[in-house]
Amino acid sequence: MNTQTVGTVIAKLRKEKSITQEELASRVGVSSQAVSKWENGGMPDAELLPRIADFLEVSIDTLFGRSLKDQCDFAQVITAQFEDKNEDQKIQTMFKMCWEMEKAMFYPGKSESLEEIRQSIGDGNQTYSSIVCDSGFTRVGIGNRLPYFLLVPESKDKEKAFFDGIDYTAFFKDFSDQNVFDAMVMLNKRKNRKAFTDNLLVKKMDIDKDTAADIIRILQKYRLIHVTQIEMDDEEQEIYTFNPTPSFIALLIFAREMIDRPSNFSYYMGNRNQPYL
């Protein structure tokens, strides 16, 4: 066993995280002289290794100079992070992992956490991170207002990816109608797949039956509502079920970025030479 390696790794990780010898010593329960001794060739007692690893947020294997790729494959490392977590914890873990990948492209080993950034910008505020290169791009929304992560690898055939058979002009025309947009927002605020009739739109939006019918026609066009014919009181009636899509929420996110263009970036790397389209 190479004890010099352990001390070197501890010193490296401590400095990367801007932790003093005194802080490490206090957390582990030893003197600062003991930490100094480790970093100059000594070896911590075996029972201290888990506490040191936990405080430095690494594995014990890492303290001995073994990288994650030496320990197991990438899929195993990822899978282990989700064990014994509920749904909300898994989503939060996934977002933190996305942030670590983003940082790794800029400054491998940089210790700035999501919590530290959020505390620095305050409640309700937003900051961003972005990688823009010829291999693709990322956009990360960091903060308390709306966290998100987008990764777009470069498409080999942009014409096929973006334009074949797609009428963007018609789409934007449909959803630029104030009534259609308001209906989408209203329906997205309701419980998923809760049935309704056109009377819901008439009452909630203060519109007439013809306008409600136009809205329903457009939503059907994009398969956002399912229509069921039922017979009631000797009359056939149409019952609608709204089929929400996260794509609409993503549309709002990036439309907002176009309207209120981000200017506050935690990290930004832009060395793209190729056109986007």
Side-chain angles (χ1 to χ4, degrees):
M1 183 184 298
N2 186 348
T3 57
Q4 181 64 42
T5 298
V6 175
T8 300
V9 171
I10 290 174
K12 178 177 180 292
L13 293 170
R14 178 181 63 76
K15 292 172 183 176
E16 285 177 352
K17 296 178 178 293
S18 300
I19 297 170
T20 66
Q21 289 184 338
E22 289 75 15
E23 288 171 327
L24 176 57
S26 175
R27 181 60 66 94
V28 176
V30 297
S31 67
S32 56
Q33 289 80 7
V35 174
S36 178
K37 182 179 178 181
W38 302 339
E39 295 182 359
N40 284 283
M43 177 67 187
D45 292 338
E47 63 269 19
L48 295 177
L49 292 175
R51 275 185 269 173
I52 296 170
D54 287 346
F55 183 56
L56 296 175
E57 299 178 317
V58 296
S59 67
I60 293 176
D61 280 331
T62 298
L63 295 181
F64 285 93
R66 295 186 65 207
S67 67
L68 286 175
K69 63 183 180 181
D70 294 327
Q71 299 169 40
C72 53
D73 66 32
F74 185 65
Q76 289 176 314
V77 174
I78 296 295
T79 301
Q81 300 301 313
F82 293 91
E83 292 178 356
D84 303 321
K85 287 183 171 67
N86 60 35
E87 186 178 86
D88 183 63
Q89 291 170 333
K90 287 179 179 179
I91 289 292
Q92 296 303 320
T93 297
M94 188 180 299
F95 188 74
K96 288 182 179 180
M97 294 172 75
C98 289
W99 174 239
E100 292 302 323
M101 289 189 289
E102 181 84 356
K103 286 196 301 180
M105 287 285 289
F106 289 99
Y107 306 107
K110 190 171 179 63
S111 61
E112 189 174 29
S113 68
L114 284 170
E115 290 74 16
E116 289 171 332
I117 294 176
R118 287 168 176 166
Q119 287 175 6
S120 68
I121 64 177
D123 291 339
N125 294 319
Q126 191 88 338
T127 190
Y128 302 85
S129 177
S130 193
I131 299 167
V132 181
C133 61
D134 287 337
S135 296
F137 62 90
T138 70
R139 179 76 93 190
V140 186
I142 313 162
N144 303 296
R145 179 170 64 77
L146 182 62
Y148 66 86
F149 183 90
L150 173 73
L151 167 63
V152 183
E154 193 71 2
S155 174
K156 293 180 180 179
D157 187 343
K158 293 186 176 67
E159 198 66 30
K160 185 175 182 180
F162 292 102
F163 300 111
D164 278 5
I166 303 299
D167 190 344
Y168 288 102
T169 303
F171 170 81
F172 285 117
K173 181 179 179 180
D174 286 338
F175 282 88
S176 66
D177 181 280
Q178 188 68 57
N179 288 321
V180 174
F181 181 81
D182 289 346
M184 279 294 290
V185 173
M186 185 266 289
L187 291 172
N188 270 285
K189 290 181 177 180
R190 298 179 81 239
K191 187 174 182 179
N192 287 356
R193 294 176 177 82
K194 186 177 180 181
F196 66 97
T197 68
D198 57 356
N199 284 329
L200 176 73
L201 305 183
V202 171
K203 292 178 180 179
K204 292 285 188 180
M205 300 175 61
D206 192 24
I207 57 177
D208 57 38
K209 286 265 189 180
D210 289 339
T211 303
D214 288 339
I215 293 171
I216 289 169
R217 176 182 54 79
I218 290 173
L219 297 186
Q220 280 185 276
K221 176 181 176 181
Y222 296 101
R223 294 183 294 175
L224 289 165
I225 60 173
H226 175 72
V227 182
T228 303
Q229 301 283 347
I230 66 168
E231 188 171 319
M232 183 176 292
D233 300 331
D234 296 326
E235 290 184 2
E236 244 190 24
Q237 294 189 29
E238 289 189 339
I239 302 296
Y240 308 111
T241 306
F242 180 60
N243 301 317
T245 170
S247 296
F248 180 69
I249 307 306
L251 182 65
L252 295 183
I253 290 172
F254 294 107
R256 177 166 183 161
E257 281 207 9
M258 292 289 291
I259 298 165
D260 183 16
R261 189 161 181 171
S263 58
N264 184 21
F265 283 83
S266 180
Y267 302 120
Y268 184 88
M269 181 176 76
N271 59 359
R272 186 181 179 95
N273 296 309
Q274 298 298 321
Y276 283 106
L277 296 175

